[in-house]
Amino acid sequence: MTDSTSGLKLGTTLYSMTPAFHGREYTFEQLVRKVAAENLGPGLEVVGFQSIKGFPVVTDEYAGWFKDLIAETGLTLSCLGINADIRIDPDKPMSDDESVTYHERQLEAAAKLGFPLVRYQYPAGPAVIERLAPAAERLGVKMGLEIHAPHHTQHPDVLAYREMYERVGSPMLGFIPDFGASARAVPPSFFEAQRENGIPEDLITLAQEFWHQEGDPYARRERYIAAAREKGYPDREIMSLVIIFGLFSRAAPESWAEIMHQVIHIHGKFFDFDDNGDEIAVDYARVLPVFVKGGYSGFMSSEYEGHMWNDADGFDKIRRHHAMANRFMAEAA
Amino acid sequence: MMDHRVVSDNGLASKPGGCTIDVRLPWYRALPLSTVRLEAVEIDGETIDPARVSFELEGEKLRPADLAARTDKWWYVLDSAFVHVDGKETPKGTSHDVAVTISFRPPYIMGLNRIVRTAKTLVAQ
């Protein structure tokens, strides 16, 4: 479908199969082999602290086994998810020095396993990431800030990174758009799960009204809570819906074009499909052409996250996601 | 979905003078024990006094209150931990209502304190 060396290439993050892995239905190796066998690569993304016990410690023996497995399957390592665990002690956040060391160990693990880039998280802070640029260059591992809802390209937290990137000018620093940040709706399956938990339909309607309004998502969340309390709903019911204001947000898909020259990877977040095979919450017909026409070259990991509220088959979901993405990319080309 | 995963299926075992519950971390990735709390253990409607409860991970037994200091010990997502309850006997083959509540603060998500309670009716093994 796509050129094998440039343009937007597809892939899978094993995070999509969290229930099957956590439930011990598939080992890591079985997941990797199944992704390859079902042609759900070529890109393969892994979350270090999920797939590898003891991460970021990676023994020579494990790294050898890991690289042999990837080579045998023919998959291409696209991205390693690393974490900004600055509150391992909840009462005493890491200093910048400790955080630099903590991140550097994960970068070294990525290099040892053969990943070309890592996904990092915004709590790291621009000052820490700036100090890691030399390590990224030394190790040959790019670092991408995941821009995840409720962030967007013009959010102050993201602008701070953009300014630092501009100043440092390192080719090793980039961005990873997560399409949950440019959604058009809340996934219907989220509300279905809430209905099954007894959340009233009128409260769901109220939450959706506030989700679709303009303005800062957390301000809208507060207005929703106030309005729901005024109507007499108990807090237990009200609070079961508040995560929609953080998990999915409504940046314009076209806004990703602002940072296109710095996009090094994509999280193709998705949840539910309609009868035509189109994703309901994320408008892929609108967002994919932004990247195709913007000249993006790299992987998009299919990232299914409906497992936060149900146990749907991640492999089935990714097959559908790849079919849809191939269709829209062919149209956009 | 993680709500039903704290207490494992077939996760109740009879022990001399008590019982053991097989529990899992209800999250997608490993977390340090310093971010995890064993909030409550209930058997047949009785909330167990924490003084009678211990938490075992990789062969190391901890008091529930000791988890907070363990920034060095990580609970991997595929590993079971074992909650030992002294003085609550569940003879083999008998059925019991078991509920365990675990809370955790993912160290990369400021302000999130996730509380997950799983209740299951289990036959003691």
Side-chain angles (χ1 to χ4, degrees), chain A residues 119-139:
Chain A
R119 175 293 312 263
Y120 77 86
Q121 300 174 305
Y122 87 94
V128 165
I129 298 304
E130 179 173 352
R131 287 174 57 186
L132 287 161
E137 284 166 27
R138 168 172 59 82
L139 295 165

Side-chain angles (χ1 to χ4, degrees), chain B residues 22-122:
Chain B
D22 180 313
V23 296
R24 301 283 303 281
L25 178 65
W27 196 236
Y28 70 92
R29 53 155 288 200
L31 294 177
L33 288 183
S34 51
T35 66
V36 177
R37 279 190 198 169
L38 179 59
E39 297 282 358
V41 180
E42 303 156 69
I43 301 178
D44 298 328
E46 178 195 348
T47 301
I48 308 295
D49 179 350
R52 289 162 56 195
V53 172
S54 62
F55 177 94
E56 180 185 346
L57 182 63
E58 295 184 310
E60 186 179 2
K61 266 193 188 180
L62 299 164
R63 294 275 155 213
D66 294 339
L67 271 61
R70 297 306 297 273
T71 53
D72 61 321
K73 191 163 179 73
W74 291 67
W75 190 357
Y76 184 57
V77 284
L78 293 182
D79 290 344
S80 290
F82 298 96
V83 171
H84 301 290
V85 179
D86 291 334
K88 183 75 190 176
E89 298 208 23
T90 60
K92 246 180 211 177
T94 60
S95 179
H96 299 272
D97 294 328
V98 175
V100 176
T101 306
I102 279 175
S103 72
F104 55 94
R105 298 169 188 271
Y108 53 100
I109 308 177
M110 202 168 102
L112 177 61
N113 181 31
R114 195 146 174 135
I115 304 166
V116 185
R117 177 180 182 270
T118 301
K120 286 180 181 172
T121 301
L122 301 174

Side-chain angles (χ1 to χ4, degrees), chain A residues 233-301:
Chain A
Y233 290 104
D235 265 17
R236 183 190 70 80
E237 293 181 354
I238 295 170
M239 295 307 168
S240 70
L241 300 178
V242 297
I243 65 165
I244 64 174
F245 295 97
L247 278 185
F248 328 106
S249 52
R250 295 174 38 240
E254 293 75 21
S255 64
W256 297 121
E258 289 173 34
I259 54 167
M260 190 62 68
H261 61 294
Q262 293 167 313
V263 173
I264 58 174
H265 185 65
I266 299 170
H267 279 172
K269 182 65 63 62
F270 72 101
F271 309 92
D272 303 318
F273 296 96
D274 66 16
D275 292 342
N276 298 321
D278 294 349
E279 218 288 341
I280 296 168
V282 178
D283 188 351
Y284 275 86
R286 187 170 154 193
V287 73
L288 279 183
V290 175
F291 289 83
V292 173
K293 291 178 177 153
Y296 170 69
S297 186
F299 286 99
M300 173 174 76
S301 285

Side-chain angles (χ1 to χ4, degrees), chain A residues 111-301:
Chain A
K112 188 164 182 176
L113 293 167
F115 285 93
L117 66 92
V118 296
R119 175 293 312 263
Y120 77 86
Q121 300 174 305
Y122 87 94
V128 165
I129 298 304
E130 179 173 352
R131 287 174 57 186
L132 287 161
E137 284 166 27
R138 168 172 59 82
L139 295 165
V141 176
K142 291 187 178 181
M143 303 185 70
L145 171 69
E146 179 176 30
I147 302 181
H148 187 287
H151 284 136
H152 48 80
T153 56
Q154 290 291 332
H155 189 286
D157 290 342
V158 175
L159 288 176
Y161 280 99
R162 292 178 68 178
E163 286 160 15
M164 182 271 283
Y165 281 11
E166 199 63 39
R167 185 162 43 73
V168 173
S170 169
M172 307 309 285
L173 303 177
F175 292 108
I176 301 180
D178 181 295
F179 289 166
S182 52
R184 59 180 165 186
V186 175
S189 60
F190 172 78
F191 290 128
E192 283 161 25
Q194 301 308 315
R195 287 183 193 104
E196 284 171 19
N197 285 334
I199 304 304
E201 196 62 40
D202 288 351
L203 184 61
I204 290 173
T205 303
L206 187 73
Q208 276 185 294
E209 279 170 20
F210 282 92
W211 190 84
H212 280 283
Q213 288 174 6
E214 297 303 317
D216 176 73
Y218 288 157
R220 284 183 279 127
R221 178 179 66 185
E222 295 312 306
R223 290 205 298 274
Y224 151 73
I225 292 171
R229 283 182 176 154
E230 199 165 294
K231 288 176 184 289
Y233 290 104
D235 265 17
R236 183 190 70 80
E237 293 181 354
I238 295 170
M239 295 307 168
S240 70
L241 300 178
V242 297
I243 65 165
I244 64 174
F245 295 97
L247 278 185
F248 328 106
S249 52
R250 295 174 38 240
E254 293 75 21
S255 64
W256 297 121
E258 289 173 34
I259 54 167
M260 190 62 68
H261 61 294
Q262 293 167 313
V263 173
I264 58 174
H265 185 65
I266 299 170
H267 279 172
K269 182 65 63 62
F270 72 101
F271 309 92
D272 303 318
F273 296 96
D274 66 16
D275 292 342
N276 298 321
D278 294 349
E279 218 288 341
I280 296 168
V282 178
D283 188 351
Y284 275 86
R286 187 170 154 193
V287 73
L288 279 183
V290 175
F291 289 83
V292 173
K293 291 178 177 153
Y296 170 69
S297 186
F299 286 99
M300 173 174 76
S301 285

